[in-house]
Amino acid sequence: MTALDARHESVGESYTAIRLVELGIGLVEPQYEFRLPDGTIRRVDFWISSLGVVLEFDGQQKYVDPTMLAGRDAAQVLWQEKIREDQLRALPEVRTVIRVTWWHLAEPERLRALLRQHGVRV
């Protein structure tokens, strides 16, 4: 994976990609799509297939920006994210879902510690 990829949909995703490269995490697929048993598509920020790891950049903006809320309140968005994550975790190929925030990205060791908590050796 290169850190520069047009598929990144936010600055947070781009910064996450940079940190993953710095930590030596290879073969990461940005904007990967999973098909649920009912045919629904769930796209994730990053998929590390060799590890069974979904990695999501979780910025606060999607919970407070009116354009991203699209008429929903923050509680509804949070509930939908929870259901989406449960659906992803239920897929046999997904071992874990890791949510990365700006706090993790500020210091590479914070991201390294988060990944290790989920069994990712870095």
Side-chain angles (χ1 to χ4, degrees):
M1 175 186 86
T2 68
L4 304 175
D5 193 305
R7 292 174 287 179
H8 298 150
E9 294 182 339
S10 70
V11 173
E13 288 179 27
S14 295
Y15 196 14
T16 301
I18 290 167
R19 288 294 193 217
L20 292 173
V21 168
E22 289 174 343
L23 293 176
I25 304 292
L27 299 174
V28 178
E29 181 72 29
Q31 301 307 318
Y32 186 83
E33 292 184 346
F34 289 95
R35 183 175 300 280
L36 302 180
D38 69 0
T40 303
I41 300 294
R42 293 287 182 243
R43 190 175 70 219
V44 300
D45 296 338
F46 301 96
W47 170 235
I48 308 170
S49 62
S50 63
L51 302 174
V53 172
V54 167
L55 201 121
E56 294 276 88
F57 173 75
D58 202 13
Q60 187 178 15
Q61 187 174 2
K62 70 176 148 195
Y63 305 104
V64 297
D65 182 337
T67 58
M68 294 186 83
L69 290 170
R72 303 167 296 168
D73 65 29
Q76 290 171 311
V77 173
L78 186 61
W79 181 250
Q80 289 171 340
E81 279 291 301
K82 184 220 176 297
I83 290 169
R84 178 178 168 275
E85 187 170 318
D86 286 347
Q87 291 170 331
L88 291 167
R89 288 181 193 275
L91 296 171
E93 63 268 38
V94 175
R95 186 181 60 77
T96 191
V97 176
I98 303 173
R99 292 194 172 267
V100 176
T101 67
W102 284 111
W103 184 84
H104 298 107
L105 298 177
E107 296 289 333
E109 289 309 309
R110 292 178 187 166
L111 180 57
R112 185 186 310 277
L114 176 67
L115 294 170
R116 286 181 175 165
Q117 288 171 357
H118 288 269
V120 177
R121 295 178 190 254
V122 288

